[in-house]
Amino acid sequence: MSSKSVVVIVSSKRLLAAIVVFVCALLVRLLYILTVGLHYKPIFDAGIYDDIARNLLSKGCYCVHGYHSTVSRAPLWPWILALVYYVSDKQVLFAQLFYALLGGGTCLVIYFLAASLFTKITALITGLMAATYTGLFLYDGWLYSEALYTFCLTGFVYTLFRLQRFCLTRDLETARKRAVFSRIMALNRWSLCSGLLLAAAMLTRPNGVILLVVICAWAFILCVARILKRERRGILWQQVIIVCCIAVLLVVPWTYRNYRLTQQFVFVATGLGEVLTGVYNDNVLQPPQGFWSPPKGTKIHDEVSYTLADDKQSTSQALAWIASHPDKMPLLLARHFENMWQPYTYSHGLPMEEFPQRLSAKILFILIPLQTIPIFALAMLGCIITWRGYRKELLIVYLVILSTIGQNVIFYGDMRFRASIEPLLVLFAGVAVWRIGLMCINAGKLRREKRGLLLDQA
């Protein structure tokens, strides 16, 4: 059999496995949407996104209240929602189905990342775990921005992984021997995809801008730790600059729109002040400690009367509270970390919270801790297993996980904001499951060999 035939067979098997993962993920999400989330109505933040999307279609206005244009929300999800409503006659179910497809895409990205790093069996296990894990499909029937941001972040991690591998392998030399156009495409396709996904992440959530720091830290560590050869470091930084420039250039038009609206610099959206004042105040010291609980009278950043001055005042109020309570900070941050890893905490307007009386919702409430706790344990084991042989290639994964944990500890302290790294946790959990299975198989073989040897001696 020729080498080309072998490559075709391997590619066909990988494609078939990818299709299995996507179909399984899609079926799970459809089951969730059509049972737990049937007749779901967007409320709370989802209701705001829904209002903006409907106002875009009916009034041509990016606004929450009447014709008052807002800078309180990042624009990507409302615009996508408006597009879905446009083609579906404003049916909420179609927005949920869009998220089901996007969730399947997230599982697919994790499958391809695992396939690029580990064995085909490990990748299939990881993909199927992602497809059926409650921590991933829980938000796909809920019209918040979690599912979109998770897809963007997972794709961003995958493209940077591919970019790093490209710079590490001989593919770079191969690309240099090609025609100019082919060389440019080979060098820049992953950086182009990465820039687009980074821009999408920033336009989905304002804290996505922190990913600019993450990518620079990633490149810096690759160079300082001498993971890349000296002649390739310049090429890496070139690609990083391309990624950041693409992302920033795509966000700048929205920033300019915000400036024209407010006459002040708002990179993506306001709301930091409300977040901080809800995290750092006397209320959060009361049981249950550490959960977001703004003081009475706190202005909501979606209100018409909310201004950038209010945002700055709320930020100053939170910083003043921190400065006056230094003895409370260690315990409070520890509570944030602890709350982040709760299997489940109440989230406003989730389908299962909207329809708690349904049998499917009751089953899901039971299923969440039964899946989440083992996934966490397996992910920790997977981190230990992969640290020795894969820590260089998984550097961007580690950095994104640490960055998200840091943000959650400082700003949120809620399991909902863990959602974006759930696919990466499943990646490590899949490795652990495969390694445990392999050990069991080898132990079984060893026992059978010993048994056979004893029988022969008898």
Side-chain angles (χ1 to χ4, degrees):
M1 186 180 291
S2 66
S3 59
K4 289 185 178 179
S5 300
V6 173
V7 171
V8 169
I9 292 172
V10 171
S11 299
S12 299
K13 288 183 177 179
R14 181 174 292 187
L15 179 60
L16 179 60
I19 292 172
V20 168
V21 168
F22 181 77
V23 170
C24 180
L26 188 58
L27 290 175
V28 168
R29 282 151 181 78
L30 289 176
L31 179 64
Y32 169 61
I33 289 168
L34 297 176
T35 55
V36 181
L38 188 63
H39 305 308
Y40 163 80
K41 292 183 179 180
I43 55 177
F44 298 104
D45 286 20
I48 292 171
Y49 292 128
D50 180 76
D51 286 343
I52 294 174
R54 293 177 187 276
N55 287 333
L56 282 169
L57 293 177
S58 61
K59 303 175 183 177
C61 170
Y62 191 88
C63 48
V64 181
H65 309 285
Y67 286 91
H68 180 78
S69 295
T70 182
V71 295
S72 67
R73 295 285 167 173
L76 185 58
W77 176 230
W79 276 102
I80 292 175
L81 195 56
L83 181 61
V84 173
Y85 284 167
Y86 177 77
V87 300
S88 66
D89 195 26
K90 300 182 180 179
Q91 297 296 313
V92 171
L93 177 61
F94 282 85
Q96 292 177 289
L97 295 177
F98 170 80
Y99 259 174
L101 290 169
L102 199 68
T106 301
C107 297
L108 210 53
V109 173
I110 282 299
Y111 165 79
F112 282 122
L113 180 57
S116 300
L117 281 163
F118 312 114
T119 65
K120 294 188 290 294
I121 299 296
T122 306
L124 183 59
I125 291 171
T126 302
L128 292 176
M129 287 175 66
T132 56
Y133 176 43
T134 52
L136 282 177
F137 71 74
L138 187 65
Y139 304 103
D140 291 339
W142 193 44
L143 300 189
Y144 276 51
S145 61
E146 266 66 27
L148 178 58
Y149 186 77
T150 300
F151 174 80
C152 294
L153 184 62
T154 307
F156 175 69
V157 168
Y158 179 67
T159 54
L160 288 187
F161 161 77
R162 297 292 305 194
L163 183 60
Q164 178 181 335
R165 174 165 283 190
F166 188 86
C167 290
L168 278 170
T169 61
R170 295 180 181 178
D171 291 343
L172 189 58
E173 279 72 20
T174 304
R176 284 174 172 168
K177 297 175 183 178
R178 299 175 185 170
V180 174
F181 180 75
S182 298
R183 187 192 316 162
I184 292 172
M185 290 304 296
L187 281 170
N188 295 333
R189 60 179 176 174
W190 292 115
S191 53
L192 175 62
C193 293
S194 184
L196 293 173
L197 287 164
L198 177 56
M202 290 194 291
L203 290 171
T204 302
R205 276 193 191 165
N207 61 315
V209 69
I210 296 174
L211 294 175
L212 290 171
V213 178
V214 172
I215 188 176
C216 291
W218 168 74
F220 178 77
I221 294 172
L222 285 176
C223 294
V224 170
R226 299 181 181 179
I227 296 172
L228 290 177
K229 293 181 180 179
R230 180 171 295 181
E231 62 271 16
R232 301 189 181 201
R233 295 172 193 168
I235 295 172
L236 176 68
W237 277 109
Q238 180 187 59
Q239 302 307 304
V240 168
I241 291 171
I242 290 172
V243 171
C244 294
C245 286
I246 290 172
V248 172
L249 287 174
L250 289 173
V251 175
V252 160
W254 184 254
T255 307
Y256 177 67
R257 174 262 182 193
N258 290 343
Y259 179 78
R260 290 192 63 185
L261 193 64
T262 64
Q263 299 302 308
Q264 296 186 56
F265 177 80
V266 180
F267 189 57
V268 176
T270 59
L272 177 63
E274 184 190 347
V275 169
L276 288 175
T277 196
V279 173
Y280 299 108
N281 61 78
D282 291 335
N283 291 349
V284 299
L285 299 179
Q286 306 301 319
Q289 291 183 338
F291 288 103
W292 190 80
S293 179
K296 287 185 178 180
T298 299
K299 271 196 170 184
I300 306 301
H301 71 287
D302 292 303
E303 293 177 0
V304 174
S305 59
Y306 192 87
T307 65
L308 292 177
D310 295 321
D311 199 65
K312 291 177 182 177
Q313 182 180 353
S314 296
T315 302
S316 300
Q317 180 181 336
L319 294 176
W321 188 92
I322 292 171
S324 62
H325 296 79
D327 56 320
K328 307 293 184 183
M329 290 302 296
L331 177 61
L332 183 57
L333 295 178
R335 289 295 187 192
H336 287 175
F337 182 80
E338 179 185 345
N339 293 339
M340 176 184 178
W341 300 107
Q342 294 276 346
Y344 179 76
T345 53
Y346 175 80
S347 293
H348 302 294
L350 259 177
M352 54 194 287
E353 297 287 359
E354 196 168 319
F355 308 105
Q357 73 282 359
R358 290 178 177 172
L359 177 62
S360 54
K362 294 176 181 178
I363 292 172
L364 195 56
F365 275 118
I366 296 171
L367 190 59
I368 287 172
L370 292 179
Q371 278 193 322
T372 304
I373 295 172
I375 286 289
F376 289 168
L378 289 168
M380 186 175 295
L381 179 60
C383 283
I384 296 170
I385 291 170
T386 55
W387 178 254
R388 189 168 188 177
Y390 296 93
R391 65 177 179 272
K392 295 178 181 179
E393 291 189 297
L394 287 170
L395 176 62
I396 185 60
V397 178
Y398 292 125
L399 288 176
V400 166
I401 290 175
L402 290 175
S403 167
T404 304
I405 292 173
Q407 291 175 61
N408 213 339
V409 168
I410 294 171
F411 296 113
Y412 306 110
D414 194 298
M415 58 82 64
R416 171 186 154 197
F417 296 96
R418 186 186 69 227
S420 60
I421 57 170
E422 295 278 19
L424 305 180
L425 299 180
V426 172
L427 174 69
F428 288 118
V431 175
V433 168
W434 170 240
R435 186 62 64 88
I436 291 170
L438 197 61
M439 289 172 61
C440 292
I441 291 170
N442 291 335
K445 286 181 179 179
L446 186 60
R447 283 195 299 270
R448 286 193 294 271
E449 288 174 1
K450 287 183 177 180
R451 192 179 299 115
L453 183 62
L454 291 173
L455 290 174
D456 290 341
Q457 289 176 350

